Amino acid sequence: MGSLAGACEIVEEKDVVRLAKHSSRYCETALRSSKDMERHALKQGSMEYDIDQLFQSITIKPSPGRVMGSSFHHLETSASAGPSRSTSPSNKSAMKKPFPIGPPRSPRVGLSDSISLKQALRDLCISKASEMAAQKRLSKSAAASPRVSEADKIQSLYRQVLNESAGRSGLPVDKGKSLVEISLTPVDDIPSSSQSLPQRFDVIETEASNSISEPSQAEIFLGVNGNRSGLKAMVETSSLHKSNISGSSFSSASGDFEIEIDESAASPPHVVIEDGIVEIDKHVNSLPLCSGSKVDAEELDKSIVSSARVKSEPNALNSELIGRLDNTSSSGTDNRKSVSKVTRSNIPRPKPRPKRKLLVKKKLRIAVASASKLIDKDDTSTEPSASELLCQKCNCALKSSSTDNHPPTNTTYNTEKCSNGSFSKNGSIEANQGSLASSHLIRIVKSNKEANKGSSDSCGKGDTDEQKRENPTFSEKFEFSLSSKDSLGDYSSSTSMSEESNLSRFSCGNKPHMSMDVRWEAIKHVKLQYGSLGLRHFNLLKKLGCGDIGTVYLAELVGTNCLFAIKVMDIEFLARRKKTPRAQAERVILKMLDHPFLPTLYAQFTSDNLSCLVMEYCPGGDLHVLRQKQLSRCFSEPAARFYVAEVLLALEYLHMLGVIYRDLKPENILVREDGHIMLTDFDLSLRCAVNPTLLRSTSPPGKDPARMSGPYNTSNCIQPLCIEPSCRVPCFTPRLLSSTGGSRKPKRPDLLTQQLRSLPQLVAEPTEARSNSFVGTHEYLAPEIIKGEGHGAAVDWWTFGVLLYELLYGKTPFKGYDNEETLSNVVFKNLKFPDSPLVSSQAKDLIRRLLMKDPESRLGSEKGAAEIKRHHFFEGLNWALIRCAVPPELPDIYENGATEATSPQGNNDGYLECKAMGDHLEFELF
Ligand SMILES: Nc1ncnc2c1ncn2[C@@H]1O[C@H](COP(=O)(O)OP(=O)(O)OP(=O)(O)O)[C@@H](O)[C@H]1O
């Protein structure tokens, strides 16, 4: 057709007539006759007939050039050669049939060109029609044939694409080199091994089904030009998901596997599991093979974690993703940008796992918990909590409490070691909150645990052998515990230190002034709950100090907010050092005490070789520390008066109980939270008999009461006025009682004062007590103690004078170069007062009267504290209400009730001594 178009134009016949009005009649006739013949011949076939009809309406119009040069010239020649040039209708037919012009030639020549052209056109049309019919038949048969699969179509399509591609690029299609791997295997079924190659298809002859549009081909070309894996994915896309020819999704033939491919995603995806669908978003660097529902949550977790970690590595993702699509792990080096999102819906996974998401969440939660455990590990490794180490019900120390063979990180897994299985979570939690205990606690608890086991406690009987195996040191310690237990039994029986005695002995009933204290209730509750109280019920928070016979810890009762000071004493150590009597004395004295300026003993128990005293905790430190904090390293006179007044009351109380304190010094005067004092440390105290007597005044009326034994020694007073509720309580007015020993001239007493002074005086001073012990602190030792002449209660008034002196002057009065000189000064040196700071004469007079080297001349030696109270130094002081007075200063309370003053003193000597004394008890610094 193309060649023909160039030679002539096909126009309608009328135009030809109009144009060829000069054509000869012969030509028209010939043409007409020729058409008739052909029409007749084509009647046999309808298609040919139609074509013939078509051609009847076609007139070949020669091109201008040709017309002028050949055909037109040919017509002219014919016309000139003919007899008539008329344009009559008869000529029309002649013009239709060309006749020869010029030299005569066969009339077929001119017609033969025209006929051949038409014939060629007709043949071409027939050929095309036949092809279409054949193609139609072929397509019908192909559709009906079950053997023609989608893969065949894919292959044919691909073949066609390759051919076109080769044709366009000019490259030959080499079957061997450009063999394309078309994987029809769903991802789930693809083994992860890199050796398993995808199924290969050779390109086969298949008719194009036109199912691939240009976009798909473009994608395929992109894949071809990219890399093998990319091509594979794209081919899969285009072939398996016809509905989405753009290749944005991938679905298997079974329809249960879908991979969405987002071409625009050039960055790594990340994975989200939701209702069984694995979504790979842009941030996954390393994604495990999503083999259906067999996707391992751990791997997914890893992927998620890694996605967060390697967001900045987008290139790595594609390779991994492609590798997963190929299911060939080794194909991870490709870098294809067209695949970035894969969605798995419902294929080969046997059953969906709707809980996958939960599983992941759980894992994350576990991970958080693990992280918390890691954080806890660190915490417990350095500062384990007692409650974490103990079974709260059966008091069995948990495995983790052993620091020898078990790292502290095991603290949370060992509840199963307790046969009772009653590990108290609350206790643990609360213990964790406030636990600052150090490793020493572990060892103490450990000893406690072993003691429990050794004493056939209800918990862990069967674990003994097992623990021996697990802990090589257990056997040794276990035996030691037994021996300790024997020793303890003797000790306990002789000293009534058992827990049972503690239970029956102690209650708030015999300590009325503290009966409302919540700490009693807390202790009582624990005793009722667990049957007994032990060290296991406390979290040792801080070491407060280490004394001569034990170490004092700040402790919290587990499950409460109650703080205590627990004095822990190693019984064997005490026995070896012959200090057991001191511990006994302190314990007995503490049991008796019920006074606002003396410590309350809440409980006492023994565990293994430890004797523990649970006392009231004083957070304000001691007066020695407090004095050091003062500007001039000494207290003001009012402050000093306040403190010594309270000490005086405490000493008076002790003396009434028949206790000579003997160790008065600022270090033993603790400051409570409210600023009032508490006298502590009674291991040097002397217990003695005391016979409180009511002394009647023998002096005549009007005599200076300072010379009397007491202000109330009036014979005409039957009952002490202070007992009367309706009394105006003049006896509480210190002024009335302060004439004793005062340098000031006493005022003339009025009638009431005379009556009060005439009242009988209670004297509860253990005046008859004598001791030859060399006890106390050098600077505070009374001369009679140093001389060894025997001493009594008056030693406390000597020390009381030294205390007042130190508080006012910041130093002790007889301090020498060394202890020997100090002792010498105490015995021989006269008392001197420094020029500064300025101290009142009343204070100096009191000190002077108290520091009389002769104990019998000493103020208070005859009638006790009452004499001292009456001194002018205390004039105006309300003794009865001094506990309600405002203290000089309040301590700064820090965390856990501790203060700067109660910070660890670092007494390594004492501490090391404690460590050395116990075979398996170690006290360590925080
Ligand atoms: N109830 C308490 N509250 C607060 N801290 C206390 C308490 N009891 C003792 N401490 C502190 O513990 C330290 C040691 O006390 P401990 O009674 O063992 O006596 P010490 O006076 O140092 O020694 P020693 O018994 O040899 O005289 C004290 O210095 C004191 O700081």
Side-chain angles (χ1 to χ4, degrees), residues 9-17 19 57-62:
E9 289 179 346
I10 300 175
V11 295
E12 291 182 1
E13 189 174 3
K14 56 184 180 181
D15 295 331
V16 173
V17 173
L19 290 172
S57 62
I58 296 175
T59 301
I60 296 178
K61 178 184 176 183

Side-chain angles (χ1 to χ4, degrees), residues 9-56:
E9 289 179 346
I10 300 175
V11 295
E12 291 182 1
E13 189 174 3
K14 56 184 180 181
D15 295 331
V16 173
V17 173
R18 210 169 30 245
L19 290 172
K21 53 184 179 183
H22 299 293
S23 60
S24 63
R25 191 177 193 87
Y26 173 77
C27 287
E28 291 175 356
T29 305
L31 183 58
R32 193 177 299 117
S33 61
S34 173
K35 286 180 181 177
D36 291 340
M37 284 177 13
E38 290 172 1
R39 191 187 306 124
H40 180 72
L42 289 175
K43 280 183 180 177
Q44 295 177 356
S46 61
M47 183 178 296
E48 293 179 356
Y49 181 78
D50 294 338
I51 295 172
D52 185 64
Q53 290 297 317
L54 174 65
F55 274 93
Q56 282 185 1

Side-chain angles (χ1 to χ4, degrees), residues 394 449-462 464 478 482 485:
C394 60
K449 170 196 69 176
E450 292 161 358
N452 288 334
K453 294 183 181 301
S455 59
S456 302
D457 205 339
S458 59
C459 178
K461 282 183 181 178
T464 303
F478 181 70
L482 284 178
K485 199 75 176 179

Side-chain angles (χ1 to χ4, degrees), residues 544-545 547-548 552 565 567 616-618 668 670 678 681 683 905:
L544 296 172
D548 215 13
V552 180
K567 189 165 189 173
E616 185 181 359
Y617 168 58
C618 259
N668 285 340
L670 306 182
M678 185 181 86
D681 192 9
D683 60 316
Q905 298 175 353

Side-chain angles (χ1 to χ4, degrees), residues 392-542:
Q392 297 295 312
K393 182 176 181 181
C394 60
N395 306 327
C396 172
L398 300 175
K399 274 285 182 182
S400 59
S401 65
S402 173
T403 56
D404 294 332
N405 296 329
H406 301 285
T409 53
N410 295 334
T411 52
T412 55
Y413 335 127
N414 292 309
T415 52
E416 72 275 4
K417 290 298 178 184
C418 170
S419 59
N420 286 351
S422 56
F423 185 75
S424 168
K425 290 181 178 178
N426 292 335
S428 295
I429 293 171
E430 288 168 343
N432 285 334
Q433 290 173 349
S435 177
L436 297 173
S438 61
S439 56
H440 75 273
L441 172 60
I442 300 178
R443 293 185 172 89
I444 293 173
V445 174
K446 181 180 174 183
S447 303
N448 196 16
K449 170 196 69 176
E450 292 161 358
N452 288 334
K453 294 183 181 301
S455 59
S456 302
D457 205 339
S458 59
C459 178
K461 282 183 181 178
D463 292 339
T464 303
D465 292 336
E466 182 184 345
Q467 290 200 6
K468 282 182 179 179
R469 284 193 299 272
E470 294 179 3
N471 186 351
T473 63
F474 180 82
S475 174
E476 174 189 345
K477 293 181 177 179
F478 181 70
E479 292 169 2
F480 176 81
S481 297
L482 284 178
S483 63
S484 299
K485 199 75 176 179
D486 296 338
S487 174
L488 174 68
D490 296 339
Y491 190 86
S492 297
S493 60
S494 61
T495 59
S496 301
M497 288 179 65
S498 66
E499 292 187 48
E500 286 70 26
S501 67
N502 165 49
L503 285 173
S504 60
R505 177 74 177 80
F506 284 94
S507 69
C508 60
N510 63 349
K511 297 182 184 298
H513 95 273
M514 298 289 285
S515 59
M516 300 303 291
D517 189 351
V518 294
R519 285 167 287 195
W520 285 115
E521 284 302 316
I523 294 281
K524 187 178 167 186
H525 177 74
V526 173
K527 287 179 179 176
L528 288 175
Q529 187 175 0
Y530 302 108
S532 64
L533 187 68
L535 199 56
R536 61 191 174 277
H537 298 122
F538 293 92
N539 292 324
L540 302 187
L541 305 177
K542 189 175 184 178

Side-chain angles (χ1 to χ4, degrees), residues 860-873:
S861 61
E862 184 183 359
K863 298 178 182 175
E867 288 182 288
I868 302 171
K869 285 178 177 177
R870 286 160 46 179
H871 194 272
H872 290 297
F873 178 69

